[in-house]
Amino acid sequence: MESSAPGKVILCGEHSVVYGQPAIAVPVTGLRCRARVEPAMPGSGLLLVAADLNQRTSLRNTAPEHPLGALARLVLEHLHCGEPDAVLTIHSDLPIAAGLGSGAAVSVAAARALAGFLGQPLSEEVVSALAYEVEKLHHGTPSGIDNTVIAWERPVFFVKGQAPEVLAISAPLRLLVADSGFPAATREAVTGVRQRRESDPDFYAARFSQIGALVKLARTALEQQDFAALGRLMDANHALLVEIGVSTPRLDTLVLAARKAGALGAKLTGSGMGGNILALVPMEGAPVVVEALYAAGAVHVWQTVTE
Ligand code: MEV
């Protein structure tokens, strides 16, 4: 039984989404995590294999906070199944700690493959909810946007605690994702925002509601295929992310390089403090922006088109 799940990027609204504001995220379908479950010898139990990390462990020996072990236990509990004699193997194209949702993609792919192996396929809602429980182990207080966009594999307008709204995109949305080469420490970035917010609640409330307002405008721009407006809103979102302290000089340099080379808009994406930037590019302009991003120090640039 095989299953896979995509990566994700946040188009706008990261961080403020943790405090109840909306955000928009899109799947990165070309970067995927794949999970396979195969039968094993009777009595062997469930073996978990993270092939890219060269890690093998049996479910029985995993600590409660081991992400893949926790996910497998959640799935078995949800399905009222005992531990099967099987091998669950994960392969992922997704860079770890890059803000591209690799943890949630592992959970979603693994939950689907394991449930499929047990003959009880899971709905998007359930897969997302199970992956959210594991996200809490990784990140402490996640909004749930990563597991949601990855489980639905569609662009989503997301508000914490509410059913996601799947967005219809009628013209291709061309995005470049450029890796700064520094890991994105999601838990630390989210905790840092929380601590600064506690010492200056009014400043943070104002920035969060400005981001929430621009996310709503971005939704309209997206639905009307007004990519020039969407790009300007991404720029404005980046400026607000700088104000809440989650950008870095390297991320700012990449954002500026993308804009100068003709991107319609650019911003950091995900938790910041490292990780990736996102640039919205016009149909013909991508190669020039890709070149400019490498020249400005990006260690990898991916192109993704959402249709
Ligand atoms: C991480 O992909 C996005 C953040 O907003 C955290 C979250 O929503 O859980 C930084």
Side-chain angles (χ1 to χ4, degrees):
M1 172 53 64
E2 283 199 20
S3 191
S4 76
K8 70 95 205 353
V9 282
I10 296 188
L11 197 58
C12 46
E14 50 275 270
H15 285 291
S16 40
V17 69
V18 173
Y19 300 93
Q21 296 291 343
I24 298 172
V26 300
V28 178
T29 49
L31 287 177
R32 304 193 75 82
C33 173
R34 292 177 181 78
R36 193 176 63 236
V37 182
E38 295 158 298
M41 297 279 285
S44 58
L46 183 61
L47 183 67
L48 307 172
V49 180
D52 314 295
L53 305 177
N54 219 358
Q55 287 174 0
R56 297 164 76 82
T57 176
S58 70
L59 179 62
R60 287 168 203 160
N61 294 336
T62 60
E65 63 280 3
H66 182 281
L68 192 51
L71 187 274
R73 286 195 191 91
L74 284 162
V75 171
L76 297 176
E77 210 173 288
H78 178 81
L79 297 177
H80 307 289
C81 280
E83 185 179 337
D85 295 319
V87 183
L88 165 57
T89 307
I90 301 291
H91 283 278
S92 185
D93 311 330
L94 282 154
I96 296 173
L100 295 178
S102 81
V106 168
S107 293
V108 167
R112 285 199 180 123
L114 186 54
F117 177 80
L118 296 165
Q120 302 189 56
L122 301 171
S123 67
E124 275 83 6
E125 278 93 345
V126 171
V127 170
S128 179
L130 297 173
Y132 182 55
E133 292 306 309
V134 181
E135 287 292 283
K136 290 189 208 164
L137 296 175
H138 286 293
H139 303 317
T141 53
S143 63
I145 191 167
D146 287 16
N147 47 281
T148 300
V149 64
I150 288 170
W152 260 261
E153 204 168 337
R154 296 293 308 145
V156 292
F157 181 85
F158 176 87
V159 178
K160 188 176 179 178
Q162 296 182 14
E165 290 179 61
V166 171
L167 297 175
I169 297 186
S170 44
L173 183 68
R174 291 167 203 281
L175 296 167
L176 298 177
V177 183
D179 186 348
S180 68
F182 292 90
T186 303
R187 184 187 270 274
E188 286 73 14
V190 171
T191 306
V193 170
R194 167 157 297 112
Q195 286 166 349
R196 293 193 290 279
R197 173 178 172 264
E198 273 162 20
S199 51
D200 199 349
D202 293 345
F203 178 90
Y204 279 79
R207 298 315 173 275
F208 291 162
S209 70
Q210 285 173 54
I211 296 174
L214 72 77
V215 169
K216 289 182 191 146
L217 294 172
R219 176 186 184 155
T220 309
L222 200 52
E223 287 170 344
Q224 295 177 347
Q225 300 160 41
D226 186 349
F227 293 145
L230 181 60
R232 287 192 295 273
L233 291 162
M234 288 169 66
D235 291 347
N237 193 170
H238 184 74
L240 289 159
L241 290 163
V242 170
E243 287 188 34
I244 65 167
V246 293
S247 194
T248 62
R250 173 63 71 97
L251 293 170
D252 293 342
T253 301
L254 294 176
V255 161
L256 285 177
R259 288 180 194 153
K260 255 174 112 176
L264 300 170
K267 61 183 278 293
L268 71 84
T269 184
S271 64
M273 306 304 296
N276 290 284
I277 71 114
L278 187 63
L280 177 64
V281 286
M283 197 174 337
E284 307 301 342
V288 181
V289 183
V290 170
E291 211 175 291
L293 284 166
Y294 279 121
V299 297
H300 203 100
V301 182
W302 295 276
Q303 182 163 7
T304 181
V305 181
T306 305
E307 316 206 47

